Amino acid sequence: MFKPANGLVISYNYLWAREYDHHEQSGRKARPACVQVIVADNKSGTVVALFPITSQPPHAEQTALAIPEMDARRIGLTTPSWIIVDEWNLDDLAKSPHIADSRPLGRLSPAFMRQVRREAAARIRGRRYRSVPRRT
């Protein structure tokens, strides 16, 4: 198992908010997801926010950032790829059954992750985000 760290990209069975709204409990497929913003770190575990990464252009109602080509290639992502910053899953990776592979894919650059944090924080301040809790 890996130690959660900001910017780490893992293969994860991401559950979209629209799927959660329809009472689905598991993601339909494994996709790259980026660990960001460690929400709680205590004796019972480390809860993190996982932002989905997609090779599909974002919908008009989604807020997404294009992943720099150098970062995408280093991790092995299709280019272009985007990280969605207005929705995320909350999960304790040490206990999660939703991790598709225990080996991280790589890590996004600190400079790009600062942009991700700024955009996600703006969505939180504006109350224009969705956070999906994952059950273990």
Side-chain angles (χ1 to χ4, degrees), residues 118-130:
R118 274 195 305 270
E119 287 297 323
R123 297 302 158 273
I124 292 169
R125 283 190 301 275
R127 297 187 178 165
R128 296 185 325 264
Y129 71 95
R130 293 291 307 275

Side-chain angles (χ1 to χ4, degrees), residues 30-85:
R31 72 172 49 258
C34 179
V35 175
Q36 177 62 358
V37 187
I38 296 175
V39 178
D41 190 5
N42 56 42
K43 290 180 192 172
S44 63
T46 302
V47 176
V48 299
L50 291 141
F51 291 77
I53 295 173
T54 180
S55 61
Q56 299 299 311
H59 302 289
E61 66 275 1
Q62 288 178 313
T63 304
L65 295 172
I67 296 174
E69 188 173 344
M70 183 72 80
D71 279 4
R73 288 182 190 270
R74 187 177 60 248
I75 295 170
L77 301 173
T78 303
T79 55
S81 285
W82 293 266
I83 186 168
I84 308 299
V85 295

